[in-house]
Structures are given as C-alpha cells and as structure tokens.
Amino acid sequence: MAAFAFAALSAFLVWQRAPHAESHYARASQAIEVIDGDTVTFDGNTYRLVGFNTPEKGDLARCQDERKRADAATIRLKALIAIGDARLNRVACACKPGLEGTKLCNYGRLCGALSVGGRDVAQIMISEGLAEPYVCSATRCPQRRSWCG
C-alpha cells in the first residue's frame, strides 16, 4: 500500500483548466485520488472521467455482481495511475450552459479526460471489459445500462 501511495504521489498530472489555457503540472503533493472506476479528485475538484462508464459501487450498485465489477474497475484505475505519467485534462461536461460544476450538472463534478503513458484510460478500461463506452452529446448523456444479469 505504501508503494502504491508513493507511486500515486509521484505521478505527474496535467490539468488544462480551459481550452487554450496554460497547462499546469502537479507537484507530488497534488496526488490524484480515485473515488471509483470513473471518478477521481485532483486539486480540490472532483472529476467524472469521460468516454466510459463503470459499474456503481456500494449502495448505488443494483446487485452484488455490480459491486464486484465496480471494485475491479476501481482497483484497475488506481493501478493505472500508479504507473505514473498520468495526464488529466478538463473538458466540457454535457450540461446546460452555466450549470457545470453545480449539483444540477453531473452531481457537482467537473469532467476530465485521463491518459496514462500517452494511452487513453477510457480505451484501456473498455478493452479490459471493466467499462462500457459512454459518450455524451453537448447537453445530454445516454441512459446507463444495468450491470446486473
């Protein structure tokens, strides 16, 4: 666990605050924290990762199988970030104008695209069967599928 924490702390992250804005490199004290298979926190903000959807965990899961799948996705996302060279780019959420970052949009989360070692994390998680593709339009997201039965 200590090795994982050290690796996560030493991962360099890039956060692009807005299109054409200067990128900011994270210091080791600014570690990315995995909440679940498609949600992370960084620099005091919570991000919903775009391009994929993973099963829900805890009380949000609809069955035990979904909880197990959620745990596997969360563990894999932590392992990917621990590799290092993680880059988090803020992207626009599928929300009505002015609502991004509020409880009325994406449960108060910002949206971000994550890559590790130059590889898109969404594609990695999907290819490993830990996630499904989940692409939103400018103002709406599709209905999520059930991970049970």
Side-chain angles (χ1 to χ4, degrees):
M1 187 66 160
F4 171 77
F6 177 76
L9 284 173
S10 62
F12 285 103
L13 306 172
V14 175
W15 175 31
Q16 190 171 8
R17 296 182 187 272
H20 310 294
E22 181 180 338
S23 295
H24 297 274
Y25 290 88
R27 295 181 304 273
S29 62
Q30 294 175 305
I32 193 168
E33 181 181 336
V34 174
I35 303 300
D36 62 26
D38 55 27
T39 308
V40 299
T41 60
F42 174 68
D43 198 26
N45 294 298
T46 303
Y47 292 86
R48 170 60 161 89
L49 301 177
V50 299
F52 67 107
N53 184 49
T54 60
E56 299 296 332
K57 65 182 198 174
D59 293 338
L60 297 175
R62 295 182 185 156
C63 63
Q64 186 60 30
D65 188 47
E66 184 172 11
R67 281 184 200 87
K68 288 179 184 178
R69 290 172 180 254
D71 289 342
T74 301
I75 289 167
R76 180 60 173 140
L77 184 57
K78 287 179 180 180
L80 286 168
I81 291 169
I83 292 169
D85 190 28
R87 296 178 186 269
L88 178 65
N89 293 307
R90 182 172 169 186
V91 298
C93 292
C95 306
K96 293 180 181 177
L99 295 180
E100 191 167 332
T102 71
K103 292 291 181 186
L104 297 174
C105 171
N106 209 19
Y107 305 99
R109 299 174 293 183
L110 299 173
C111 294
L114 182 65
S115 65
V116 175
R119 294 181 60 209
D120 180 31
V121 167
Q123 291 303 313
I124 295 169
M125 298 288 280
I126 292 166
S127 72
E128 294 178 3
L130 298 168
E132 66 176 353
Y134 192 73
V135 180
C136 301
S137 70
T139 58
R140 290 183 62 122
C141 291
Q143 184 173 356
R144 294 179 181 166
R145 78 170 178 107
S146 173
W147 294 91
C148 302

